[in-house]
Amino acid sequence: MEQVDEESSQSVSKKATKKEAAKQEKLRRRQEAALASAASSLAIEEEEDPLAANYGNVPLYELQSKEESNLSDWTRVEELTEGLKDKEVLIRGRAQTTRAVGKNMAFVVVRQKGFTVQCVVTAQPELVSRQMVKFVAGLSRESIVDVQGLVSVPSVPIKGTTQQVEVQVRKLHCISKALPTLPINIEDAARSEKEIEEALQAGEQLVRVNQDTRLNYRVLDMRTPANQGIFHIQHEVGSIFRKFLESEGFQEIHTPKLIAGASEGGSAVFKLDYKGQAACLAQSPQLHKQMAICGDKERVFVVGPVFRAEDSYTHRHLCEFVGLDAEMEIKKHYSEVMDIIDRLFVTMFDHLNDKCKKELDAVRRQYPFEPLKYLRKTLRLRFEEGVQMLKDAGVEIDPYGDLNTESERKLGQLVLEKYGTEFYILHRYPLAVRPFYTMPCYDDAKYSNSFDVFIRGEEIISGAQRVHVPEFLEERAKACGIDVNTLTTYIDSFRYPLWLSLSLS
């Protein structure tokens, strides 16, 4: 009896499955028919629209280079100001948002390099058709559009755009169409943690874009105002670094990134096989910078990738980063390079505060921060002084050991309270915690002619006078556990006398 019931149940189940499948197939056919009907209707509308040439998707053959364009015909979004009122402009940008207001009006915010402008499409006889309004309202976000129209100045301020003018659209063509649904919405990716937390407290849930998603769709994440600002600031940092050092007599050089042995004692290294021989990725351009000084270059700098096989997962440990390094001949004392660092960074901070206000504000909105406090003449503290400040604050510390992360941050806090600066130089580090090529102090061999530069309690630069006596260099390398045979070319360069040199990196 149970077997009969089971067979009967299975039969009913099969019938229900077939019935559901037939139902879904019927629904699918209806949807296809509806889509075909809508497409046919739209095609008829487009054919019947006498203004159809003023809008639409640009076909591929129209995008292939045919005629040379006149770039003066184009206006950048950032240039759209009240001074262009009633002037016709042609702009290109991304459709950031679209909004329909009935059948006769639509708005589209166009973004170009972080600047945004509101474009208005209003149905008007002989100018703009309803079909065009419908086309604009249906644009997918992040599509690239060309817009032609007249600049107008609204009577009330425009919220949500950088430009306080509007473009009354006469023509709009989509030259690159984005997917209807993007894996990341730019407004979600641009949201700060503070906004998300405040929304949660108010009972509202906002989308949080996690780091793995940002990296998987990096081209979209790069479009947020904060990331646009970060890339611009990064460019300015590299630019002022080069310009300042060139003004101080430095020349840029390019050093190998594939070398025979480790260049930094105590740092993890990426090892690899190079045609049957052991090799590694350069942890620093340090050794080649010194060789350049030995080649009578006097002052050089390097901007390039640096590789560290770090296992720590913190914002301070990166497997690859772009290093800004410099090397210079000194006459008497390693303070000569600290003078350069002082002027370099004050110049850099002043430049960013003056020239990158918009970008700093964009970054600040997503990642809140306070303006950096720094002195016109950078504070310099001896390592012993820093250790004493920590001891006075109750921190237990080895006077001949390196500062750990907590000690560095605590010292940064103490320096800010006492001296009113978040940027300072700590020098005369213990020799035991510095690389093999660091020169010991003349008056106490437990210390070295070296320094670190700090911003808000975190080290950003290390530097030191370099050992230039080959026999002593070999001795120091062996003491640090480095195979001298991998440094033969480097050490031998000092057998052909070298000026005293000092590096910052």
Side-chain angles (χ1 to χ4, degrees):
M1 185 69 179
E2 288 178 358
Q3 184 178 357
V4 171
D5 287 344
E6 185 177 345
E7 290 177 353
S8 176
S9 176
Q10 289 178 351
S11 176
V12 171
S13 178
K14 288 180 180 178
K15 287 181 180 179
T17 301
K18 287 182 179 180
K19 187 175 181 181
E20 180 61 26
K23 183 179 178 182
Q24 292 297 324
E25 177 63 18
K26 189 174 182 181
L27 179 62
R28 184 184 66 79
R29 289 177 180 175
R30 283 181 179 176
Q31 289 176 338
E32 288 181 350
L35 288 171
S37 175
S40 175
S41 174
L42 182 59
I44 291 172
E45 286 182 357
E46 288 177 348
E47 289 175 4
E48 295 176 348
D49 184 4
L51 302 175
N54 292 343
Y55 64 95
N57 297 310
V58 180
L60 175 62
Y61 69 86
E62 288 290 343
L63 298 174
Q64 294 171 306
S65 297
K66 296 178 181 178
E67 300 176 359
E68 293 185 7
S69 59
N70 187 353
L71 296 181
S72 62
D73 294 340
W74 297 82
T75 302
R76 299 189 62 78
V77 171
E78 63 184 290
E79 299 170 348
L80 297 175
T81 62
E82 294 182 5
L84 293 177
K85 182 181 178 182
D86 297 328
K87 297 288 181 63
E88 186 173 81
V89 294
L90 174 61
I91 63 173
R92 173 174 291 178
R94 294 188 180 276
Q96 179 168 290
T97 59
T98 59
R99 178 169 60 92
V101 183
K103 295 182 178 181
N104 295 317
M105 179 180 286
F107 295 91
V108 54
V109 173
V110 174
R111 186 184 76 249
Q112 182 189 44
K113 294 288 291 182
F115 295 91
T116 52
V117 65
Q118 182 165 272
C119 301
V120 187
V121 187
T122 308
Q124 300 177 57
E126 310 299 326
L127 290 175
V128 177
S129 63
R130 276 191 172 185
Q131 291 96 317
M132 181 173 173
V133 174
K134 182 178 180 181
F135 172 80
V136 172
L139 283 170
S140 50
R141 291 185 175 190
E142 296 301 296
S143 294
I144 298 176
V145 294
D146 286 349
V147 179
Q148 187 174 331
L150 299 177
V151 176
S152 63
V153 180
S155 57
V156 294
I158 304 173
K159 295 181 179 180
T161 62
T162 63
Q163 309 309 109
Q164 292 303 300
V165 297
E166 290 181 330
V167 176
Q168 304 299 324
V169 179
R170 296 294 177 262
K171 296 181 179 180
L172 188 149
H173 292 89
C174 178
I175 65 169
S176 186
K177 190 176 182 180
L179 291 172
T181 303
L182 297 173
I184 294 179
N185 284 327
I186 307 304
E187 56 266 42
D188 292 335
R191 196 170 286 125
S192 70
E193 284 296 315
K194 183 180 178 182
E195 289 178 86
I196 295 173
E197 293 302 323
E198 288 178 348
L200 283 174
Q201 293 173 8
E204 181 185 358
Q205 188 163 359
L206 297 177
V207 174
R208 175 186 274 110
V209 181
N210 295 323
Q211 183 73 352
D212 56 345
T213 305
R214 292 180 184 276
L215 294 176
N216 288 338
Y217 303 101
R218 185 60 169 153
V219 292
L220 291 175
D221 186 49
M222 281 175 62
R223 298 175 191 172
T224 64
N227 278 334
Q228 287 288 305
I230 288 169
F231 273 90
H232 183 82
I233 292 168
Q234 184 185 59
H235 159 74
E236 291 293 334
V237 168
S239 177
I240 198 65
F241 179 80
R242 283 185 167 94
K243 289 176 181 176
F244 177 85
L245 290 182
E246 286 171 357
S247 73
E248 294 285 340
F250 286 76
Q251 290 184 355
E252 183 171 10
I253 61 172
H254 304 283
T255 60
K257 307 308 174 203
L258 189 62
I259 60 177
S263 52
E264 292 280 347
S267 293
V269 62
F270 284 109
K271 298 179 180 179
L272 54 94
D273 176 83
Y274 178 72
K275 301 182 183 298
Q277 297 183 33
C280 63
L281 296 178
Q283 301 157 294
S284 164
Q286 176 52 51
L287 308 186
H288 293 91
K289 287 188 303 175
Q290 285 182 257
M291 292 169 73
I293 300 300
C294 194
D296 284 351
K297 293 307 294 179
E298 294 188 359
R299 293 185 170 195
V300 298
F301 69 90
V302 180
V303 177
V306 176
F307 304 91
R308 303 283 174 90
E310 301 282 6
D311 291 328
S312 299
Y313 294 95
T314 75
H315 69 283
R316 300 182 62 183
H317 295 82
L318 297 172
C319 289
E320 179 183 355
F321 59 91
V322 176
L324 306 180
D325 293 78
E327 190 89 17
M328 61 179 279
E329 165 200 324
I330 61 175
K331 302 301 183 185
K332 286 285 188 179
H333 198 275
Y334 68 95
S335 62
E336 294 167 30
V337 80
M338 290 193 285
D339 293 337
I340 293 286
I341 290 173
D342 182 350
R343 297 197 302 274
L344 167 64
F345 274 90
V346 170
T347 299
M348 191 176 291
F349 297 150
D350 288 346
H351 176 85
L352 295 179
N353 287 333
D354 183 44
K355 302 296 183 182
C356 298
K357 291 179 181 178
K358 181 182 75 70
E359 289 78 14
L360 289 169
D361 286 341
V363 176
R364 187 181 290 111
R365 282 193 294 273
Q366 186 166 357
Y367 307 105
F369 64 88
E370 294 296 324
L372 181 71
K373 295 180 176 67
Y374 60 99
L375 305 175
R376 304 316 301 173
K377 179 66 176 176
T378 301
L379 173 69
R380 299 179 194 179
L381 289 174
R382 284 192 171 199
F383 187 85
E384 300 100 304
E385 294 178 276
V387 167
Q388 191 59 52
M389 289 177 68
L390 288 168
K391 286 183 176 180
D392 292 343
V395 178
E396 293 186 9
I397 188 167
D398 178 0
Y400 300 111
D402 205 355
L403 300 181
N404 59 28
T405 300
E406 290 182 6
S407 297
E408 288 181 348
R409 289 177 179 168
K410 181 62 177 179
L411 183 57
Q413 177 188 335
L414 296 172
V415 168
L416 176 61
E417 292 171 356
K418 185 174 181 178
Y419 298 100
T421 180
E422 296 174 296
F423 176 72
Y424 69 97
I425 300 173
L426 192 66
H427 66 109
R428 273 181 64 105
Y429 266 74
L431 183 64
V433 301
R434 307 305 279 195
F436 74 95
Y437 44 70
T438 304
M439 183 70 79
C441 284
Y442 80 98
D443 57 343
D444 191 340
K446 293 190 294 293
Y447 292 97
S448 63
N449 294 343
S450 63
F451 60 86
D452 280 355
V453 180
F454 290 87
I455 290 182
R456 290 181 170 163
E458 295 197 4
E459 174 216 325
I460 61 165
I461 286 179
S462 289
Q465 181 184 355
R466 307 312 186 185
V467 175
H468 62 283
V469 179
E471 293 76 20
F472 187 39
L473 198 55
E474 288 179 344
E475 180 184 325
R476 290 284 302 134
K478 290 175 182 177
C480 291
I482 297 174
D483 183 0
V484 177
N485 293 324
T486 66
L487 301 171
T488 302
T489 303
Y490 167 67
I491 294 175
D492 283 348
S493 67
F494 298 103
R495 303 187 192 280
Y496 322 111
L498 168 71
W499 301 101
L500 298 180
S501 79
L502 200 148
S503 172
L504 61 100
S505 60

